[in-house]
Amino acid sequence: MGDDSEWMKLPTDQKCEHKVWKARLSGYTEALQQFQRITDEKSPEWGKYQGLVKKFVTDSNAVAQLKGLEAALAYIGSAHVASRTVGEVVSGVVCKVFNQPKARAKELGSDICLMYVEIEKAEAVQEELLKGLDNKNPKIALACVEVLRRAVSEFGSKIISLKPVVKVLPKLFESREKAIRDEAKMLAVEVYRWIRDALRPPLQNINSVLLKELEEEWAKLPSSAPRQTRFLRSQQDLRVKFEQQQQNEGEGGDDGDGEDSEEAAPAVDAYELLEAVEILSKLPKDFYEKIEAKKWQERKEALEALEALTKNLKLESGEYGDVVKALNKVIGKDTNVMLVTIAAKCVAGLATGLRKKFGTYAGHLVPTILEKFKEKKAQVVQALQEAIDAVFLSTTLQNVSEDVLAVMDNKNPSVKQQASLFLSRSFRHCTPTTLPKSLLKPFCVALLKLVNDSAPEVRDAAFEALGTAMKVVGERAVNPFLADLDKLKVDKIKECSGKVELAGGKKPAGQVKAPSKPEPPAEAPAKTSGPPKKTPAPAVAKPSAPTKKGKPAAPKGTAPTKAKKTESKELNEAELSPEVCEEKAAVVLPASCMQMLDSANWKERLAAMEEFHKAVEQMDSKEMPCQALVRMLAKKPGWKETNFQVMQLKLQVVSAVAQRGSFSRTSALAVLEAVLEKVGDVKCGVRAKEALTGIAEACSLPWTAEQVVSLAFAQKNPKNQAEALSWLSNAIKEFGFAGINVKAFINNVKAALAATNPAVRTAAISLLAAMYLYMGAPLRMFFEDEKAALLSQIDAEFEKMKGQTPPAPIRGCSKASGGEEADAQEEEAEGGEDVVDLLPRTDISDKITSEMVSKIGDKNWKMRKEGLDEVAAALSEAKFIKPSIGELPVVLKARLADSNKILVQQTLSILQQMATGMGPAIKQHVKGLGFPILTVLADSKNTVRAAALATLNAWVEQTGMKEWLDGEELSEELKKENPFLRQELLGWLAVKLPTLRSVPSDLLLCLPHLYSCLEDRNADVRKKAQDALPMFMMHLGCDKMNKAAAKLKPASKDQVVGLLEKARASVPAKPAAPAKAAAATSNAVKPATAATALPAPAKAAPVNEQVPAEAKKTKPASAPKAKAVVKKPPGKAEEDRSGPIFTLVPNGKEQRVKEEKSLKVLKWNFITPREEFVDQLKAQMAQCVAKWLMEDLFHSDFQRHIKAISTMMEHIEAEAEATVSCLDLILKWFTLRFFDTNTSVLMKALEYLKLLFVALSNQDYHLTEHEATSFIPYLILKVGEPKDVVRKDVRSIISLLRRVYPASRVFPFLMDGTKSKNSKQRAECLEELGCLVGLCGMSVFQQTATKALREIAVHIGDRDTAVRNAALNTVVAAYNVCGEQVYKLIGQLSDKDMSMLEERIKRSAKKPSAAAAPASKPPEEKVAVSANASALRKPSSDQAPLKLSEIRSQNAVEQQQSSAVPREFQLDPNFIVDLPETIMPDLLVVEAADPSPLDVLEFKFRLPSISGGSSHEESVSNINLIISQVASSDAKTSIQGLTKIVQILHQESQWKLMCGHVDEFIVATLMQLRLLASRRMVDERTDRQQQVEKLYSSVIDSLNSLVLAGKLAQETSPGVLKDLVHALLTLILDPRHQQSSGQSQLIRSVHVVLSALFKTADPTNTLSALLMLLQEAYNSTACSPEFSEMVMKCHWRMIKLLPEKVEALYLDRILLDIHNFMKLFPKEMLKQKPNDMAHRTVRTLLHTLYRLVGPKIMDHLSLIENRSESDVEAHLKRAMKHSVPPPSQMSKDFENVSIAKTQHPTESVQSSVKPAASSSRESVNPAHYQERLKALRQLYGLGNNSKSVSEKSTLPAVSAKPAVSSMDVLQSQLTKLRESREQQDTQNVCPRSPARTAGPPPDLNDFKARLEKIKANLR
């Protein structure tokens, strides 16, 4: 027992390690109980057991181990540090638990493993379980298989990686233990359930009997896709969705199908489950000899050996170049077709086994296979088809396009047929993205030729290929190429398209899949709506949009479209004979005109041409014979006309005919030459150019330009040539560059440059300048051979154009439809490739001879150099080359490894030249030639490595980085342990990766090698690896990199993890998306942006920094230059700072709150901020904060933080809305600054927060719960700061915080602050609590007054003096509010503490008399004003606490003196005591009873009067002050404020002062009602109760005056209305108000207020408020049934009023509120309650609305999401089905309602507008309104004449008859009250104007206008 007593005293964690098993058992039991009690997953208690959990599961005692397993399971499920224990715990479970005989132990062990999987540690668990399969103990292996099966079954293949599981299955099937084999079968069945047939290939070699058994089991499985049944912690939203789906399936089952596909297991590729086989080493040693042997039998033997090896489904990557070369030779040159077949099978096997790794060799095989299709034997053709299809899957269509197009013109029909069929099969694997227009166009052009082929099989194949292309990209994309095709052939293509079944998808039925395919590349919504035949026709003239131009894209499609239209017309319009032309012209032209056209008198010809021109202008465009008209102009003298006036008219006629008629190219050719001859004419040149422009608009500029240039240079007149070029340069700017065929007239431009006439040369240079705007630098390459002088002129002209953007086209777009414009925008995306395509490229494959290749591979280095020189010469001569370069890649690759470094450098130079010459087409050589460049980086010579890097960059410039990061090649290079290679490659990646916006997933493969570089022996390698870490992290993310690091050895892991943490801080932001469309508008936008943005930075930045920024903004910059600016941080930053700092993201804040609630992100809750919180905040802010500001916000330099805060201060007013949208993130960022040690940053942060809360207060913004909990706890931490200046600012912020967050909600945070160990913080929090109690009364405690006061009273005994004083002051403040009741609330105190409290209360009791001294006391005796109410603290216990009135008065003075931004209205009831009387005008002082001990300081000033002469600002300030007094805890002050408000409401001229303040006044009255309730509860003295009753009467009186004061009640918001109705109903139901006749009178008054409120308030807001109230009543258990009943009666009252108010209802919002109610309380839930009256009430409301509105109400469901699922729609449909009134009846109902309103205005409460008696239909007596309002006022008198008023308080709405009688009875009382008040007014110092007892009657014009409007709507 002695030993027991010893260990029983030990703490729990020590018991768990005790050597006595009973002690451990006790420790485990206690730990389990402790784990179950801890609710915070981040509690420090978890850390104590982190190192003990392994011992829990590996305990040597079986009984203790069982309890330890239970404790470990509880720990893992709840502790946030549990994931760190996964390795050791699961290993212990496998070794020490799975071998136990007890089933319970095994079950707990399995649960522990699965729990680790649930907390995101599946990989580690799976690794330990797979290790356990190798254990010699069969029990352990069996248990591991069982756990694996459970994990796969519950979590699915998304969580559990199946590849290693499948890998061990064959081994498990061979186990000696039958139980393991059986369990392995079950595991195989479970795996098959998830991946289906992908499991078959890995198991193809197991025992056939076993395979048959598995097949039988697999056949029994259901065909439906499996679903995950257990979810990770991060998948809780998926779990909820799954549960909802199960419920839906339980109810209906129809929705399940839609979700099946979404939640189905991901498709698993069997290839990924296979192990790669290395076959190169298994080839026969004499393979290459035999494959070259002369005997076909030996060649066959070699091929069969290779074929056997290629049957492996997955092959190891390696160097297959020699094998492919040998197979290529057999396929291309071997005459034995049997060997060709075997070789084709070998190629197919290699391509299938290597997949993407085989893409390097595709370029060599595809041309050979295509040529070999000339073989006619079906067996050979089939093998070749399989081979080329397999090869295609390893590459892209872009890479093989050149080879396929090359054989489309082959003379052999079999080759053309098979090439077309190959294209058809290839298209099936494409998407609209991988088959863009730039690629589709050449294929369609080639296939269209084959459609007309003589061989039927070729035609059918072409039809099939075109049909497949149409299926993939849609008819709209293909139709432009089919414009010249007859209808039968187009129908044939569409028929083929309908039969096509795309790869990876089901055969679409009609419109199922076809529409979805073209959607990804669509760039404009209009694309799908336009007619298909109006798309551009690239077949006519190749479009060549410039790169990076946004603006010209809009009308880009117009010119090619017109070209296609006119070309198709040209085919149908033959050239007309002169006779036919004359006949057609005679029909439309006057006879006199026809006769005088060839007159010898020029005046008659002029008259004839004028008639001609007039006739053309008036002619119908559809009937205009264009060709006939223009040919008539050639009638003698024709174009030889000598009179310039006649000639001008002829040119005008040409222009008019071209613009107005259907002008064909035949017509254009008839006049073009003649018009061009007149271009250079001085008098007719302008008209000639107009005619050319008209022709260009009709026939497209590309075609016209080609004709004009060729015809102009066929003439000898230099003037015409110069003017033609001048016209063309202007036309390009007007029409745009779309479709211009540069190649067609580039030679003519060169001829113009060589002309002797300077005007021609100048015009040519101007034309080049216009082209340069669109083409950019590539244009100069056409003219590099020109003379130096001419070239300098061209360069000078180009220099002028740099930085300019092309103008928007203004012509050629008038006849373009929206669909064409959409196509033009789509083509714009391909513009960059089009410009490159303009360059004339040369095919140099003929120059790459076998001799050159043999020279390059010669043993003699001189011969090799000679061969390389020849290659360089060929490239230099061609300049721009095609991708086909023969065998050059193979030999150049060998030279990169040449021992002679000079040749290596020369090879690199050739490759660089090749990249420049080939352009983007170099992509297809990246695998074969690009990656070998990386091997040169391993060279030890710096010059060689530098040359390799230059070559590499040249290639990347053409190809982009994606090609280099895709695949395993880069990781394989990085794997090589060469220090030079590693440091150069990592340095290169560190430069390139930050410029990318996204990277392929294959970059992950580089991580293991990157981590090994971090531990490399070479210091340079380690440094480069560390530099590259942030760049990898930028794209891969911290999680993936940490996951990869977790797989390292423990020694390496710690070092790498440390470096990763360090790299986090320097992760760069991803580059912004490139703005394609911004370039076109940059000139217009940038100067405006600069002008508007300059003043903002000028406030903070020095002047000398502004000059370069301004210069940079005003200077136009092109898109390429913007890229270079990135390297200059100062200039770029200044340029970027011109924009907004915050971006308004719709629903961004709501989404962040939702993510935090669903635990998708970390909750903002920490003791000190960890890096994951900073990273999370950074990621969230990146979406809505300017990039440059982000850099400052998260910079390591505190100066940048200060700069960022200054910037935010400048934008706080300009970006108010955006600031609110990001407020949660801003506040979170400032919480991080609270943990900074730099005082400057902290002070700047507090300064900003003060401005922020003032601005939020001015906007009437209220903090959300999410924002408050993320910020206030950390702000309270700073209130304990040792520096006074910091504490002062924090107190100011807390004071401001009450304006935007309820004091009652700030209270709990302050209570938490009193628990701090920091005495300053405790004292400050207690002082703030005292201020809150003093300002707001006991209401701040809400339901926790006793608990809170007891916790506060505990601090009276604190050791710190400041804490004691603060606690005493707080309790005294509570005493001042509730009196002796406070002693009950604080509970038991020690004698010492109680004596201190009593003494302090005594001293405070003496203060009122001193404070109530006359107002003539010297100012120096007054208490000094501090920064805020919180600063009014007592320095020692000797000083008595300040009275509440003093605190409030000083707070009010502070608000007027020190507030940076004036506050329009403050809810806190602050009083102004010490202001001089000259500032505070007199107001009626209401006499009250003698002051009691609870009274506050009596005011000796008068509230401000609001006269018409005061300024608007002063009036607003005064009304705010008066409203603030209403909520005062001093009865006199409150009555004064209420009286003044009533006076204002009685004077119609002063109603405008209350506009905008209605909500504030009602809230103030509600606060007063709460104070009255608390007073009645704590003080039952008779005099106090009388005062309370009087104040009640004043409050109700003021509310009644408000609801009767015209339209003021309509300003009330729904939330305030809800609180008001709630308060009034609570007042009615309060039993204490039913004890006396006076209280009964009060209840009746409340009824009248409610009745009037429902009539005058906005009906939409009223119904919304009532629905919210009903929702709360049924949602809260605290609400009594009587209250719920009252709420429903309010609904019924509103339903009765609906016919009068239906026109003013916002039905959409009402229906949304009803929907929310029904969604929250389904009918089934309400049926469980004692009665379902609420549901019936809401249904009655719905039916009433339907009866009043009719079927049109269905159009008002727009705000309801998923309206089809809403009960509202179902109810309305039922109502529509059973009772649909005829429209005529509806119209009559509306009219009757409107007429009723007009005829009975006395029933309306809208009495805020003066009457218009002259416009009324019938006489309206104003006295009636006055009497009615007198009666309503009389309800608050002191008379007892109320017998006729109903005593029951059941219905808040008073029926018509009782209401009238009560008004008649109480009318005399109201008169008496008015007379008494008028007597007081006459005696008052500052008399008020006579109060009106009622407002004027409503304006009947208003009723008439509304009636007319309703009638008009019904028509």
Side-chain angles (χ1 to χ4, degrees), residues 583-598:
E583 289 178 6
K584 290 190 174 185
V587 176
V588 295
L589 292 177
S592 58
C593 174
M594 294 292 294
Q595 294 172 2
M596 292 190 293
L597 275 178
D598 54 356

Side-chain angles (χ1 to χ4, degrees), residues 1644 1647-1648 1650-1651 1655 1693 1851-1860 1862:
R1644 284 194 292 274
H1647 275 295
V1648 174
L1650 279 171
S1651 179
K1655 291 182 180 179
R1693 177 61 177 167
L1851 192 62
V1854 182
S1855 62
K1857 188 173 181 180
V1860 173
S1862 64

Side-chain angles (χ1 to χ4, degrees), residues 1062-1223:
K1062 185 179 177 182
R1064 268 187 172 187
S1066 53
V1067 174
K1070 289 188 178 182
K1076 288 185 179 179
T1081 57
S1082 60
N1083 284 349
V1085 174
K1086 285 186 179 178
T1089 306
T1092 55
L1094 275 176
K1099 298 176 184 176
V1103 177
N1104 57 355
E1105 293 180 5
Q1106 290 300 312
V1107 176
E1110 185 177 356
K1112 188 160 290 188
K1113 289 172 186 173
T1114 53
K1115 180 179 178 180
S1118 61
K1121 282 194 175 183
K1123 202 171 185 178
V1125 176
V1126 177
K1127 299 180 181 178
K1128 300 178 181 178
K1132 183 67 179 175
E1134 289 300 326
E1135 185 177 354
D1136 287 349
R1137 288 174 190 269
S1138 60
I1141 61 173
F1142 296 122
T1143 304
L1144 186 60
V1145 180
N1147 299 324
K1149 188 189 296 186
E1150 290 77 4
Q1151 183 62 31
R1152 291 191 292 271
V1153 174
K1154 184 178 179 182
E1155 289 177 353
E1156 190 165 309
K1157 284 183 179 178
S1158 60
L1159 301 179
K1160 289 185 178 180
V1161 297
L1162 296 172
K1163 281 195 173 182
W1164 199 256
N1165 182 16
F1166 48 77
I1167 299 173
T1168 54
R1170 302 191 300 275
E1171 288 196 13
E1172 50 262 40
F1173 286 99
V1174 180
D1175 292 340
Q1176 174 179 301
L1177 180 61
K1178 189 174 181 180
Q1180 290 176 332
M1181 292 186 78
Q1183 302 174 6
C1184 53
V1185 180
K1187 181 182 176 184
W1188 57 269
L1189 183 60
M1190 284 289 294
E1191 294 175 0
D1192 289 347
L1193 290 174
F1194 292 94
H1195 203 276
S1196 55
D1197 185 5
F1198 76 93
Q1199 294 285 0
R1200 299 289 286 274
H1201 294 165
I1202 295 175
K1203 186 177 179 182
I1205 296 172
S1206 299
T1207 305
M1208 291 163 68
M1209 291 171 71
E1210 293 170 4
H1211 290 75
I1212 197 168
E1213 293 182 10
E1215 299 185 29
E1217 188 177 357
T1219 301
V1220 169
S1221 72
C1222 308
L1223 185 60

Side-chain angles (χ1 to χ4, degrees), residues 1526-1592:
V1526 174
S1528 171
S1529 59
D1530 175 36
K1532 293 181 180 179
T1533 307
S1534 182
I1535 289 174
Q1536 285 181 357
L1538 289 167
T1539 305
K1540 185 62 180 175
I1541 292 292
V1542 171
Q1543 290 178 11
I1544 293 171
L1545 293 173
H1546 285 175
Q1547 301 177 34
E1548 181 185 353
S1549 60
Q1550 294 191 11
W1551 285 352
K1552 61 183 179 181
L1553 297 172
M1554 287 296 292
C1555 291
H1557 300 281
V1558 175
D1559 275 357
E1560 298 160 358
F1561 170 65
I1562 294 177
V1563 171
T1565 58
L1566 293 177
M1567 287 186 64
Q1568 186 58 249
L1569 288 174
R1570 293 193 191 102
L1571 285 173
L1572 291 173
S1574 64
R1575 282 184 187 172
R1576 181 185 289 274
M1577 179 177 62
V1578 300
D1579 194 345
E1580 298 181 354
R1581 289 176 295 179
T1582 304
D1583 58 340
R1584 177 59 64 188
Q1585 291 299 318
Q1586 290 176 354
Q1587 192 177 31
V1588 168
E1589 290 174 7
K1590 187 172 183 180
L1591 194 49
Y1592 264 125

